[in-house]
Amino acid sequence: MIIIKDLHKKFGTNAVLKGVSLDIQQGQSLVIIGGSGSGKSVLVKCILGLEQPTSGSITIDAHEMIGASRTARHKINSRIGMLFQHSALFDSLPIWQNVAFRALQTPSLSISDAREIAAEHLIRVGLETSLLDAFPNELSGGSAKRVGLARAIAPDANGTPPDILIFDEPTTGLDALMTEIINDLICECVENLHATTITITHDMRSVRTIADKAALLYRGGIIWQGEQNDLSDVTQDTNPYLYQFMNGLATGPIEVVE
Amino acid sequence: MFIITSIGRAFLNFAAQIGRLFIFTMHALYACVRPPLYIGLIGKQIIHIGYYSLPVVALTSFFTGGALAIQIYYGGNQFNSESIVASIVALGITRELGPVLAGLMVAGRVSAAIAAELGTMRVTEQIDALTTLSTDPMKYLVVPRLIAATISMPILAFFADIIGVMGGFVVATQSFGFNAALYIQRTTDFLDFDDISSGLIKATAFGFIIALMGCYNGYQSAGGAQGVGRATTNAVVSASILILATNYIMTSLLFSS
């Protein structure tokens, strides 16, 4: 279970997160939506320990993450699988080493076992094992996303897969067909791993496919959160912010951050 | 008022930069002694930094040794002291030119490459990805490069010494008609172990500086392609200046005693 309480993050005088509070139950899939510059990626970086929040609290299974020791952070990170917006594949490593990277951190793991892990996960995300020895610069955007997903869900050398998955704009830059494929793959992976999932997106199709629960982040604060089913009841009168965002309207209370 | 503000801001920025570099260096040194050590990556970096720099270092020192022999021959000619060519070339190359030129050439080649590689990894979130995969980027990226450069540089400087002296030998014997056996004898007569070891000690420090400046500037880079370009330039410039400054300080310390 992940609980975020009154999280603030400032860069100099610029407050990016202003008191974000969220809770995600074990096995639940939360989708955070919001426009560009609303603080979504900063929130994810705070959860991953890549940014130090100014104040507030992030607990993962009752362990406080803010100010946690290197060992505690390492232990939690070993349970987290992350798919980055632009995949962030290691371009100096072949695909099999990218996918099995977590497992390869155990020196006793043989190369053949690591390749087997990589092959199994490539197949799982719908790619051919002929890509094992390819390099990331040889892949299309959609394939890179799939490899990124395979790396996020791949287990460590003991065979333990991550039980927390974070996806940062998983469908950005993909065509409609590939977006559906990636969304379906994410659902499948989450279901198979019974993982707690946080997805950052501004794509409403992803919200409808992936989310158990959704939250709207606007100007560093959560201005709405609820079940996925609640989204169908939203009207201009009940929640003008969410309505504007869901329908992609240029006019409304949401001001675009330049 | 504007001038004072500008000077103050520049000074504060400089102090902040020094502070960040100091903290980065301490983190890197601590990471060097904390397990695990990626031996395979260190070996790979020794090949990249040391082995692949060998041709450029060899060419530089060969031509420098040759040019030095010409200068000393014509300089010595005015005082009928042409015979000092062998000893001065040997001392000049081993004490100063070998390690410094090797350092500057490797700084241009390696420091830039490290800064560009790490800078690109930073702006494409690959360094963040390492952290999320429970891998300390400092240990995985910085430590292997630091150790590899520190090991490789004295070896490269040693080759630079040999090839530089050989450059002087070729010019002296082929262009000025020096007797080959006599040239070699004069070289060995005047050369002490301390002359070579002082150069190698300096080269070790240069290796650390080259990798440190490459890693620091790459690791801290931000702002896309422009940021990576800036990091690369800063890495080469700062490494080169630090090499020359360190050379002066170490020469003073090593030879004053």
Side-chain angles (χ1 to χ4, degrees), chain B residues 192-210:
Chain B
D192 286 337
F193 175 74
D194 287 351
D195 298 322
I196 299 167
S197 66
S198 65
L200 301 188
I201 291 167
K202 287 198 280 189
T204 310
F206 299 162
F208 183 79
I209 289 168
I210 288 164

Side-chain angles (χ1 to χ4, degrees), chain A residues 2 9 24 45 54 110 115 147 157 174 180 215 230:
Chain A
I2 303 170
K9 174 65 186 173
I24 308 123
K45 286 188 173 182
T54 311
S110 69
R115 284 181 72 92
V147 173
L174 300 180
E180 279 309 308
D230 300 341

Side-chain angles (χ1 to χ4, degrees), chain A residues 70-119:
Chain A
R70 189 193 297 267
T71 320
R73 172 51 70 184
H74 183 85
K75 208 171 164 185
I76 287 294
N77 275 358
S78 67
R79 291 176 48 198
I80 299 177
M82 170 80 190
L83 172 60
F84 285 84
Q85 187 175 351
H86 301 291
S87 307
L89 299 176
F90 304 124
D91 45 24
S92 59
L93 301 179
I95 299 305
W96 73 269
Q97 285 188 33
N98 264 284
V99 176
F101 191 88
R102 197 189 297 270
L104 280 165
Q105 298 315 299
T106 305
S108 57
L109 186 81
S110 69
I111 288 176
S112 61
D113 286 347
R115 284 181 72 92
E116 205 171 300
I117 290 172

Side-chain angles (χ1 to χ4, degrees), chain A residues 232-251:
Chain A
S232 51
D233 301 332
V234 172
T235 64
Q236 180 121 35
D237 298 327
T238 55
N239 195 324
Y241 287 92
L242 189 57
Y243 184 82
Q244 185 192 349
F245 190 85
M246 281 171 60
N247 294 288
L249 304 174
T251 53

Side-chain angles (χ1 to χ4, degrees), chain A residues 74 77-78 89-91 105, chain B residues 38 126 130-132 134-136:
Chain A
H74 183 85
N77 275 358
S78 67
L89 299 176
F90 304 124
D91 45 24
Q105 298 315 299
Chain B
Y38 295 95
Q126 291 178 53
L130 276 175
T131 309
T132 64
S134 304
T135 302
D136 183 352

Side-chain angles (χ1 to χ4, degrees), chain A residues 121-128 146 185:
Chain A
H121 284 79
L122 280 187
I123 292 167
R124 207 163 164 180
V125 296
L127 290 173
E128 288 176 10
R146 290 192 202 211
L185 276 172

